[in-house]
Amino acid sequence: MSKFRLLTIPALLLVTALSACSVSSNPGGSAEAGDQKSAGPVAIGFSQATQQSPFYVQLREGAEAAAKEAGATLFFADAGGDVTKQNNDIQDLITRQVDVLLVNPVDPQGVQPGIAAAKAAGVQVVTVDRPVPEGAVAHVGRDNKAMGALVGKRLSEALGDKGGKVIEIRGDAGGAVARDRSAGFHEAVAGNDKIKIVEGPYSDYVRSKAVTAMQDLLQVHPDVAAVYAHNDDMALGALQVLKENGKDDVLVSGVDGLMEAVKQIPDGQYVATALNDPISLGSKAIETVLKVQKGEQVEASIDAGTELIDKANAAGFVGEGEFAQASTK
């Protein structure tokens, strides 16, 4: 019998180790993987697309802070840009018996198996930043088409009657955010027939990928007049390449209100960005999740608002935060 016990103990330890997954939890924060659901009043599962961008890091922090303030437990999982992993993460969160799911999808279509699994388990879903075609009771985000339009209108004004070639560095293939930011921009500059848009590669909102893309694009389009990127992180990557190649006259614009970009605007080359404060977005998402959990009626689409940041008002947004915050005027 003692020999049998000695053999089974390592086996039990192995099973225990294999049962751990990538989901972390803590009241309003993150802890070691493998934690179980707390006894808190509300357990929220947050499946996020990626942490490979300052915006998404801050979105998580905003959600964590709001959950902590509400006394809720937040179970967090980072999909790392992999939709298969995200579907598995959602299954893990459901297994942990979360009350509501908050999902920031890698791919709106690709995440549908996870959304369907949540529905089958009776767990309601709220999406944030990126919507899904169906399966969510509410979406919390900003009007990305309006953001693209705001920046496009301002860049078109800056280029003037001369116009020129504009390189567009895109976000993610098939993503609603990238689609809308592109559509809004294209519509805004359509009135200036001297502007020609060159659609660059998808760089997944990551600066290093935008640097590589811009290096290649500049070789093919040395006559570029401006760059529009679907987020400021990629726009800053493009700006870096332009400066390295002495292209100080090429205008740059982005979206999100990343403070590093806002601080560049007074110098003139970085023309504009659009406000998209991720901290307040994460907070609004948690506020909506808690209302859903309580059975309150919520709007199907909740717009957190935006505004243009350019040379006329950039000084009013400069601060110590990583992103510009909405003005209190």
Side-chain angles (χ1 to χ4, degrees), residues 90 94 99-103 105 107-109 111-128 130-140 292 298-300:
I90 290 172
I94 293 168
D99 297 304
V100 190
L101 268 171
L102 179 62
V103 178
D107 178 342
Q109 293 290 348
V111 79
Q112 285 301 311
I115 303 293
K119 182 178 180 180
V123 178
Q124 296 189 96
V125 174
V126 174
T127 55
V128 60
R130 304 173 179 182
V132 292
E134 58 183 349
V137 296
H139 172 68
V140 182
V292 167
V298 297
E299 296 290 329

Side-chain angles (χ1 to χ4, degrees), residues 165 167-169 198-203 207-224 227 237-238 240-242 244-245 247:
K165 187 181 289 183
I167 288 175
E168 179 182 8
I169 300 179
V198 176
E199 292 185 342
Y202 292 103
S203 297
R207 187 180 307 199
S208 60
K209 292 185 179 182
V211 166
T212 302
M214 192 64 209
Q215 288 169 338
D216 294 338
L217 288 162
L218 196 56
Q219 294 297 317
V220 182
H221 304 284
D223 57 339
V224 58
V227 174
Q240 173 190 323
V241 174
L242 291 169
E244 289 170 352
N245 287 273
K247 299 282 188 179

Side-chain angles (χ1 to χ4, degrees), residues 2 40 96 128 178 209 216 221 227 231 260 270 273 295 310-311:
S2 61
R96 289 166 187 274
V128 60
K209 292 185 179 182
D216 294 338
H221 304 284
V227 174
N231 77 343
E260 187 180 350
Y270 206 106
T273 182
D310 64 2
K311 200 167 185 177

Side-chain angles (χ1 to χ4, degrees), residues 187-315:
E187 288 180 15
V189 303
N192 188 338
D193 58 8
K194 297 296 184 180
I195 290 178
K196 178 184 177 182
I197 299 175
V198 176
E199 292 185 342
Y202 292 103
S203 297
D204 300 319
Y205 303 102
V206 177
R207 187 180 307 199
S208 60
K209 292 185 179 182
V211 166
T212 302
M214 192 64 209
Q215 288 169 338
D216 294 338
L217 288 162
L218 196 56
Q219 294 297 317
V220 182
H221 304 284
D223 57 339
V224 58
V227 174
Y228 166 62
H230 290 182
N231 77 343
D232 288 318
D233 210 36
M234 294 191 298
L236 288 165
L239 181 64
Q240 173 190 323
V241 174
L242 291 169
K243 287 183 176 296
E244 289 170 352
N245 287 273
K247 299 282 188 179
D248 296 333
D249 58 338
V250 177
L251 304 180
V252 178
S253 59
V255 178
D256 283 344
L258 185 65
M259 190 56 68
E260 187 180 350
V262 174
K263 289 179 178 178
Q264 293 277 349
I265 290 174
D267 293 336
Q269 187 172 5
Y270 206 106
V271 175
T273 182
L275 182 74
N276 190 24
D277 174 20
I279 294 289
S280 64
L281 186 61
S283 178
K284 189 72 174 177
I286 293 298
E287 177 188 320
T288 303
V289 162
L290 293 172
K291 286 181 179 179
V292 167
Q293 192 275 332
K294 291 175 184 175
E296 297 179 18
Q297 287 291 111
V298 297
E299 296 290 329
S301 182
I302 299 164
D303 185 1
T306 187
E307 61 182 295
L308 180 72
I309 303 175
D310 64 2
K311 200 167 185 177
N313 64 358

Side-chain angles (χ1 to χ4, degrees), residues 21 23 25 38 53 75 89 110 129 131 154 158 162 168-169 171 179 181 190-192 221 259-261 274 280 291 318:
C21 70
V23 178
S25 66
S38 76
S53 164
F75 290 81
D89 288 344
D129 185 53
R154 183 65 188 86
K162 187 178 179 181
E168 179 182 8
I169 300 179
R179 179 198 67 214
R181 290 183 181 183
N192 188 338
H221 304 284
M259 190 56 68
E260 187 180 350
S280 64
K291 286 181 179 179
V318 173

